[in-house]
Amino acid sequence: MKILVFLALLGLHSAAAVTHSLKYFYTASSQVPNFPEFVVVGMVDDGQMIHYDSNTMKAVAKRDWMNTFSADNPQYLAGQTDIFVGSQQWFKGNIEIAKQRFNQTGGVHVFQWMYGCEWDDVTQDASGFMQYGYDGEDFIVFDLKTLTWIAPKQQAVVTKQKWDESKAQSARYKNYITQECVDWLKKYLDYGRSSLMRTERPSTHSLLQKTPSSPVSCFATGFYPNRAEMYWRKDGHQIHEDVERGEILPNHDGSFQMSVELDVSKVAPEDWGKYECVFQLSGVKDDITIKLDVIRSKGGFPLVVIGVVVGVILLLLVVGIAGYFLWKNKKGKEGFKPASTSDSGSDNSLPLNQKA
C-alpha cells in the first residue's frame, strides 16, 4: 500500500483564475511509524490554513490571515478543536470496522475522508464533494445529485445501504456542500485575499539528476498560486514522449512545488542543447526556461541540489502536510464531509454519528 503525500486531487482547474476552494482532509491511521494516528488539514485555494493532529490535540491556524480571523472570532479554534477531537474517536472506530470488512488484523492501514466546495467568484457557480478512502483506494462516495452513496468496493455496500437510509443526514450534507461551505469560503477569502490573490515566481528552478543514467528532473519550488504548467520541449516544440509530469505539491509556507522528468537515456550528449524545461505561471507573462545542457556544467549530476529536494519532502512530513494522504484513484471533485456547523464558529463539521 502506498501512502501518498498530498497531491493529486488538488490539481489544475479550467476556471483557474476565478475558482476558489475550501477543502478538508481527515486521515486516521494505524501502525504508521512516527506519524500521528489522526490528522486534519483544512485548505483554502489549496493552501493549508488550519491543522490538527492527535499528538497536540489542538487546532492551529497556519496562515497569518487565519490568525487575524481567529482573533476576530475568539471561539473559532476552540470550536474546531472540539470537532476534531470528536471526529478522532469516530475515525478510530471506523478504521477498525474497515479492517474487519477487509478481513485484516495488524499492519499499516489508513482511513481517509475528504470534503469541500468550490466557488467561481465571477459566475457565482458552486460545486462540492465528499468521499472516503481506505488503504489508498476509494471506499464510498457521496452523490450530490441523487443524495445517495456510491460503493466502489464490495466491502462498502453495507455502509451504503445503512447511510442511504439516513435521508436527514444526506440532506444535511447537501446543505453544507452547496451553501454553508461556500459561505465560509467567502469569509476566509475576505480575510486572506491579499495573500491568496498574490503571484510569486519560483524561488528555485533547477535541473536535477541522481546518476548519469537517471532521468533529469526539472524542479521548481516557491511559486504561487498552484495554477502552473511545466514541460519539456525540443527545438522549441513541446514533447510528451519519455516525459513524466509530477503533481503540484504544497510547501510549508503556503507556496507550491512541482517537477517534470525527462528520460535522457536516448538523447545523445551533443543533442542536449536542443532540450529545455519550461515553467509557466498563471498571470505571469514571461516563462522561465532552463536548457538541458546547464546540468552538464555542474558535473552532470549535482547531488547537492538533490539534497535540497529530499529536504523539502522531509519538511512536508515534519510540518504535517503529509496529513492529506490522498488515494491514487483520482475522482476530481468528489470528496467531502463536515462535522457540526454552529454559531460558535465551526465551519467544517457535520455530526459524525454514522458508523461504517
Side-chain angles (χ1 to χ4, degrees), residues 10 19-25 41-50 65-66 76 80 114-119 127-129 176-177 179-189 335-338 346-349:
L10 308 180
T19 300
H20 301 283
S21 63
L22 171 61
K23 303 175 183 178
Y24 288 90
F25 302 84
V41 173
M43 309 185 75
V44 172
D45 286 357
D46 295 344
Q48 184 181 197
M49 56 88 169
I50 194 169
W65 60 266
M66 272 300 293
Y76 176 79
Q80 295 295 280
M114 183 182 76
Y115 67 84
C117 57
E118 295 187 337
W119 171 67
S127 61
F129 49 92
Y176 179 90
I177 293 172
Q179 297 182 37
E180 296 176 29
C181 181
V182 176
D183 289 342
W184 278 98
L185 172 58
K186 293 176 182 178
K187 291 180 182 180
Y188 293 142
L189 290 173
F336 160 107
K337 178 178 178 178
S346 301
D347 69 320
N348 66 314
S349 16

Side-chain angles (χ1 to χ4, degrees), residues 5-6 10 22-28 35-36 38-44 46-54 58-60 62-63 76 80 84 113-116 250-251 316-317 319-326 337 347-348:
V5 178
F6 173 66
L10 308 180
L22 171 61
K23 303 175 183 178
Y24 288 90
F25 302 84
Y26 289 53
T27 300
F35 195 81
F38 185 67
V39 176
V40 180
V41 173
M43 309 185 75
V44 172
D46 295 344
Q48 184 181 197
M49 56 88 169
I50 194 169
H51 175 271
Y52 169 91
D53 65 60
S54 54
K58 184 178 181 180
V60 179
K62 302 300 290 186
R63 300 269 78 84
Y76 176 79
Q80 295 295 280
F84 298 150
W113 171 32
M114 183 182 76
Y115 67 84
N251 291 321
L316 286 172
L317 295 174
V319 300
I321 289 183
Y324 6 80
F325 299 125
L326 299 188
K337 178 178 178 178
D347 69 320
N348 66 314

Side-chain angles (χ1 to χ4, degrees), residues 287-309:
D287 299 340
I288 298 176
T289 62
I290 299 183
K291 284 193 172 294
L292 180 59
D293 57 6
V294 170
I295 199 171
R296 298 169 64 191
S297 67
K298 295 183 179 181
F301 33 117
L303 298 181
V304 173
V305 184
I306 287 290
V308 173
V309 179

Side-chain angles (χ1 to χ4, degrees), residues 131-134 136-141 152-153 327 329 331:
Q131 72 188 59
Y132 293 83
Y134 182 67
E137 297 182 351
D138 289 344
F139 182 73
I140 194 166
V141 179
K153 294 287 185 180
W327 44 97
N329 189 3
K331 293 288 185 176

Side-chain angles (χ1 to χ4, degrees), residues 191-342:
Y191 275 83
R193 191 168 298 277
S194 61
S195 173
L196 298 172
M197 299 302 289
R198 74 187 191 278
T199 298
E200 294 183 4
R201 292 162 67 90
S203 57
T204 301
H205 188 245
S206 308
L207 298 182
L208 318 170
Q209 189 180 33
K210 294 180 181 179
T211 69
S213 59
S214 299
V216 173
S217 177
C218 185
F219 174 74
T221 185
F223 61 87
Y224 190 93
N226 68 339
R227 296 181 286 273
E229 279 290 343
M230 181 181 283
Y231 58 88
W232 285 94
R233 65 187 181 193
K234 177 184 179 183
D235 293 328
H237 300 286
Q238 184 175 352
I239 58 176
H240 302 281
E241 186 177 359
D242 298 324
V243 173
E244 183 174 349
R245 183 181 182 277
E247 301 291 345
I248 297 179
L249 304 176
N251 291 321
H252 71 287
D253 60 358
S255 65
F256 295 90
Q257 61 170 289
M258 69 183 304
S259 64
V260 59
E261 290 187 346
L262 172 66
D263 184 355
V264 294
S265 60
K266 302 176 185 178
V267 180
E270 59 269 21
D271 291 333
W272 277 33
K274 299 178 181 180
Y275 292 81
E276 60 185 1
C277 173
V278 181
F279 176 87
Q280 298 175 333
L281 183 63
S282 176
V284 177
K285 183 178 180 180
D286 297 328
D287 299 340
I288 298 176
T289 62
I290 299 183
K291 284 193 172 294
L292 180 59
D293 57 6
V294 170
I295 199 171
R296 298 169 64 191
S297 67
K298 295 183 179 181
F301 33 117
L303 298 181
V304 173
V305 184
I306 287 290
V308 173
V309 179
V310 174
V312 169
I313 294 174
L314 289 177
L315 182 58
L316 286 172
L317 295 174
V318 169
V319 300
I321 289 183
Y324 6 80
F325 299 125
L326 299 188
W327 44 97
K328 292 188 294 182
N329 189 3
K330 306 172 189 177
K331 293 288 185 176
K333 301 177 182 178
E334 298 176 40
F336 160 107
K337 178 178 178 178
S340 120
T341 308
S342 69

